[in-house]
């Protein structure tokens, strides 16, 4: 389609500000962005929609327009909702770079323009595919006539014989056509997608699993995910964007079919944005409760807010639930990227049961963010005995279980410059306990941060032992302490393959019991005594003494 056709469509609310001689340019697609440099997502021929959040001063317009012109985009449409009138410096920059510029009336949503362009472009390129795209419009409807992403994927199957699934960044299946994918395959697809995005590869990405080839298409929300419209770095959205996995090799597809799939991802992105907007109420509830807790508000005031939150998060619940607090933090090696919004979006995903498909479970999660950390308020239904007494929560969260199925995909997204640490509190049943639960979750997260690895978690049960102290030991003290005790054993193991370190770990784990340790290691007791004697000789320690046992125990934990 031509730019001129867009201008002549009154419902789109476009007003030409410059480039009248270029209106015969062909539009091949549409992209919404507020990145200062969106070049990696441009392939040429797009109508670019922007809310101007990238513009901080007049000097920003020329570089932004030059990037678009170099990429060969068809035109630029700027929304008036953010700044009112379109700045003169942007108009001038577009004139100098011969880039047609439109103003979008503030009453017209970008989603309306996106849907129209996708439908028209696909229709003009291939008549049979146009029918598919036209029916995909049902994605944009609500109520019984809609159906969301599942309708889109069903149509891909029936009309184009393509099996496809919408996955979250952790590999949870949000929608799918036909049989659901195995959880291991979903995790592998998500991990490959995140790794490809982090290395800057352009989609679709292809991966072969168990002899089947999948093509992965990113689904980028028009609001640019949790990081908001002013996102400047891929790390701000990589852990929140959905992806479309298609069981096919897109490497030899014609341009028409690739365009169709790109159009489908744009339609699903509109639905994603709609569901993100629906989280606003729950986020606000969590933020209000968090502010009350941190400012030391009266328990009665906090309890009143919890009574408001409970029906929203657990509709139909008769009694007040128990609550747990989960704290997460995402840290990048370069400190110029805000971690709080990224952790908020990620925590909303992690707290959904990975075995449950669809977007609805996330509608029960309330997460706020303060600074660089995200804080989740998680309601837990209670069990009641025969006499109606409260027997505690029946579905309490456990730190290790939360990350069990998502660790690998998230590690791929964090790559070699990011870390996710997470702490989980014990369950509390009243407003009085919420402040303690928050501090408990924060302490647990610090314990997790002291561990090696890109994705780490710790729970409240670890705070009652030596583990609580270890994160506060300076790094140089840790290294010196562990080297003095364990380096002689490691060196000996390397030279003689004697397995002294595993023997030491097993001996301490068996509380110094010769019989149990020998049984566990499948050794004769005399062989075990020889190894322990060698450990004592190399370290000048006595494993019959409590103090020396404790030193070895702590050294192993800190290593």
């Amino acid at each position: 389609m031509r730019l001129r056709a867009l201008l002549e469509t009154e419902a789109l609310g476009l007003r030409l500000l410059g480039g009248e001689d270029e209106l015969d340019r062909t539009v091949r697609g549409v992209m919404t962005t507020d990145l200062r440099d969106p070049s990696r997502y441009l392939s040429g021929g797009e109508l670019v929609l922007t809310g101007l959040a990238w513009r901080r001063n007049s000097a920003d317009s020329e570089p932004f327009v030059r990037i678009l012109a170099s990429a060969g985009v068809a035109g630029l449409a700027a929304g008036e909702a953010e700044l009112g009138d379109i700045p003169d410096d942007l108009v001038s920059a577009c004139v100098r770079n011969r880039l047609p510029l439109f103003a979008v009336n503030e009453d017209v949503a970008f989603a309306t323009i996106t849907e129209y362009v996708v439908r028209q472009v696909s229709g003009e390129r291939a008549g049979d595919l146009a029918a598919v795209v036209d029916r995909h419009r049902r994605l944009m409807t609500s109520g019984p006539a809609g159906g969301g992403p599942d309708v889109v994927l069903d149509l891909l199957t029936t009309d184009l014989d393509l099996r496809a699934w919408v996955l979250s960044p952790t590999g949870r299946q949000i929608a799918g056509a036909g049989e659901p994918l195995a959880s291991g395959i979903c995790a592998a697809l998500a991990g490959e997608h995140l790794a490809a995005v982090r290395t800057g590869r352009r989609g679709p990405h292809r991966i072969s699993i168990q002899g089947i080839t999948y093509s992965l298409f990113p689904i980028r929300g028009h609001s640019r995910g949790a990081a908001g419209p002013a996102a400047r770095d891929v790390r701000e959205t990589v852990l929140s964007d959905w992806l479309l996995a298609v069981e096919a090799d897109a490497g030899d597809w014609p341009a028409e079919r690739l365009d169709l799939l790109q159009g489908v991802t744009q339609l699903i992105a509109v639905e994603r944005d709609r569901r993100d907007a629906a989280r606003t109420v729950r986020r606000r509830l969590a933020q209000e409760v968090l502010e009350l807790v941190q400012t030391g508000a009266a328990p009665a005031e906090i309890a009143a807010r919890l009574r408001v939150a409970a029906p929203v998060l657990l509709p139909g619940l008769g009694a007040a639930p128990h609550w747990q607090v989960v704290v997460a933090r995402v840290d990048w090696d370069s400190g110029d990227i805000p971690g709080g919004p990224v952790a908020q979006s990620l925590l909303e995903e992690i707290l959904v049961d990975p075995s449950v498909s669809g977007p609805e479970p996330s509608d029960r999660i309330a997460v706020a963010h303060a600074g660089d950390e995200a804080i989740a308020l998680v309601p837990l239904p209670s069990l009641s005995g025969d006499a109606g007494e409260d027997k505690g929560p029946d579905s309490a969260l456990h730190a290790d279980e939360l990350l069990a199925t998502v660790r690998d995909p998230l590690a791929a997204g964090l790559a070699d410059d990011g870390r996710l640490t997470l702490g989980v509190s014990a369950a509390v049943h009243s407003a009085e306990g919420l402040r303690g639960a928050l501090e408990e979750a924060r302490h647990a997260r610090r314990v997790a941060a002291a561990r090696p690895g890109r994705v780490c978690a710790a729970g409240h049960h670890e705070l009652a032992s030596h583990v609580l102290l270890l994160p506060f030991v300076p790094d140089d003290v840790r290294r010196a302490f562990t080297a003095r005790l364990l380096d002689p054993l490691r060196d000996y193991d390397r030279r003689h393959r004697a397995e002294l370190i595993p023997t030491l770990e097993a001996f301490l784990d068996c509380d110094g019991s010769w019989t149990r340790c020998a049984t566990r290691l499948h050794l004769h007791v005399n062989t075990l005594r020889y190894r322990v004697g060698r450990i004592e000789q190399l370290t000048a320690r006595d494993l019959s003494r409590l103090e020396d046992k404790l030193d070895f125990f702590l050294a192993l934990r800190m290593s």
Side-chain angles (χ1 to χ4, degrees), residues 236-459:
E236 294 183 73
T237 59
V238 66
L239 297 176
S240 60
D241 286 340
W242 289 355
L243 68 136
L244 176 66
V246 181
E247 188 181 297
D249 187 344
D252 56 358
W253 279 5
E256 290 83 359
R257 179 160 290 204
L258 285 172
D259 286 344
L260 171 67
L261 266 294
Q262 294 293 353
V264 169
T265 64
Q266 290 169 348
L267 290 175
I268 296 176
V270 174
E271 179 69 6
R272 169 67 193 270
D273 288 343
R274 177 185 296 172
R275 284 167 177 165
D276 279 348
R279 289 180 174 178
T280 302
V281 172
R282 294 182 297 281
R283 286 178 170 179
R284 185 164 58 244
L285 284 173
Q287 196 76 43
E288 290 175 355
V289 173
L290 175 62
E291 290 173 359
L292 291 174
V293 170
Q294 293 191 124
T295 56
E301 188 176 359
I302 299 174
R305 296 308 303 162
L306 289 178
R307 285 194 294 271
V308 173
V312 175
L313 301 178
L314 287 175
L317 192 69
H322 287 73
W323 300 89
Q324 266 183 293
V325 175
V326 181
V327 173
R329 180 176 175 128
V330 173
D331 293 290
W332 304 101
D333 289 349
S334 56
D336 58 341
I337 302 173
V342 180
Q344 180 183 43
S345 179
L346 192 54
L347 193 52
E348 287 172 332
E349 172 61 32
I350 290 174
L351 291 175
V352 179
D353 184 346
S355 65
V356 178
S357 297
E360 288 73 19
S362 62
D363 294 344
R364 302 292 174 258
I365 307 299
V367 184
H369 75 82
D372 286 331
E373 67 180 9
I375 302 166
L377 187 64
V378 183
L380 303 171
S382 299
L383 286 175
S384 297
D386 295 336
E389 73 275 13
D390 185 4
K391 298 177 68 176
D394 65 340
S395 55
L397 301 174
H398 300 280
D400 290 337
E401 294 176 4
L402 283 177
L403 297 180
T405 60
V406 303
R407 191 181 304 274
D408 290 344
L410 294 183
L414 292 163
D416 58 356
D417 61 348
R419 285 198 78 201
L420 166 68
T421 51
L422 184 145
V424 181
S425 78
V428 297
H429 66 278
S430 66
E432 288 86 348
L434 211 52
R435 184 179 182 85
L438 175 58
E439 292 306 313
E440 192 172 57
R442 281 175 166 160
H443 279 303
R445 194 207 62 78
R446 294 189 192 103
V447 169
R451 295 172 174 166
R454 290 290 167 188
V455 182
C456 299

Side-chain angles (χ1 to χ4, degrees), residues 39-97:
S39 57
R40 73 173 69 188
Y41 305 117
L42 297 171
S43 57
E46 298 94 342
L47 173 67
V48 174
L49 307 175
T50 181
L52 299 178
W54 50 267
R55 182 186 179 277
R56 294 169 183 164
N57 54 58
S58 59
D60 291 335
S61 292
E62 179 67 24
F64 179 80
V65 173
R66 192 180 300 123
I67 288 170
L68 300 188
S70 298
V73 305
L76 174 64
E80 296 180 319
E82 183 75 18
L83 301 178
D85 293 335
I86 306 304
D88 291 338
D89 49 270
L90 180 60
V91 177
S92 300
C94 288
V95 170
R96 283 192 297 272
N97 290 275

